[in-house]
Structures are given as C-alpha cells and as structure tokens.
Amino acid sequence: MNQLSIPKDWTIQRSTPFFTKDNVPQALLSHHNTAAGVFGQLCVMAGVVTYYGFADEHAKEAEIKRVIPAGSFAISPPQYWHRIELSDDAQFNLNFWSEAKT
C-alpha cells in the first residue's frame, strides 16, 4: 500500500464529510472493498486511524496494517478488501478518485 499512487490524470469524484467515532459509517469498520476503477484516499485530520488490508473477501488475517496519524493519508486501490479502526479522538474523511469522464 505504501508504493501506491493515484494516476496523475485522475480526479476526485466524491468526498465524504469528516467522520469521528460518533458518526463513522459501520460499513467502514467492517470488511469491505473499494469499487472497481476507484482509488480511496483516507485523510486523517486528528487522532489515529488504523487501516487493515486483506488479500480477498474471505481473508480473516490482514496482510497489511498501517497506522495513519493526523496529517497523513493512505490510499486503498480499486477492489481491495479492507477495514479501519479509530482512536477515540480520530477525525478523517475520504476522497474517491477515478478517471475523469470526458
């Protein structure tokens, strides 16, 4: 996950509001994947978010664990299974990148 980069000609198609432990969608805390043709960018503003990446939808053990502190971000590739955990003071949002439609 550390070597990933979003293609230079791709753009943000959608961004979420800021989430905390009080309003984070439960789906983000569960095993889910990024849509085909979409990179997810998790941007941490406060606290810590821990990202767990899985080899496939049935994997029980994470193949990637990344602790993302405030001021940092992580990228999730298209169709990659993952989930997150939040510190009590975490605040973050998500940007979804894809190819620009012409």
Side-chain angles (χ1 to χ4, degrees):
M1 195 169 87
N2 292 337
Q3 272 77 24
L4 287 180
S5 62
I6 298 166
K8 291 181 184 182
D9 58 336
W10 286 30
T11 59
I12 295 173
Q13 302 299 319
R14 182 172 73 85
S15 295
T16 68
F18 290 103
F19 296 124
T20 66
K21 266 203 154 176
D22 295 330
N23 69 350
V24 63
Q26 287 301 306
L28 297 179
L29 304 174
S30 303
H31 209 66
H32 67 283
N33 72 349
T34 316
V38 176
F39 278 88
Q41 180 185 37
L42 190 153
C43 304
V44 181
M45 305 303 167
V48 173
V49 176
T50 304
Y51 175 100
Y52 297 91
F54 299 90
D56 59 46
E57 69 179 301
H58 303 292
K60 302 284 187 222
E61 297 294 320
E63 64 179 359
I64 294 171
K65 176 183 176 185
R66 181 158 179 217
V67 177
I68 310 154
S72 298
F73 67 90
I75 297 169
S76 192
Q79 297 183 292
Y80 186 67
W81 290 91
H82 59 280
R83 70 175 178 84
I84 60 170
E85 290 179 355
L86 310 177
S87 64
D88 288 340
D89 59 344
Q91 183 178 4
F92 73 97
N93 83 313
L94 300 167
N95 297 314
F96 296 99
W97 295 75
S98 64
E99 284 186 280
K101 308 284 189 269
T102 56

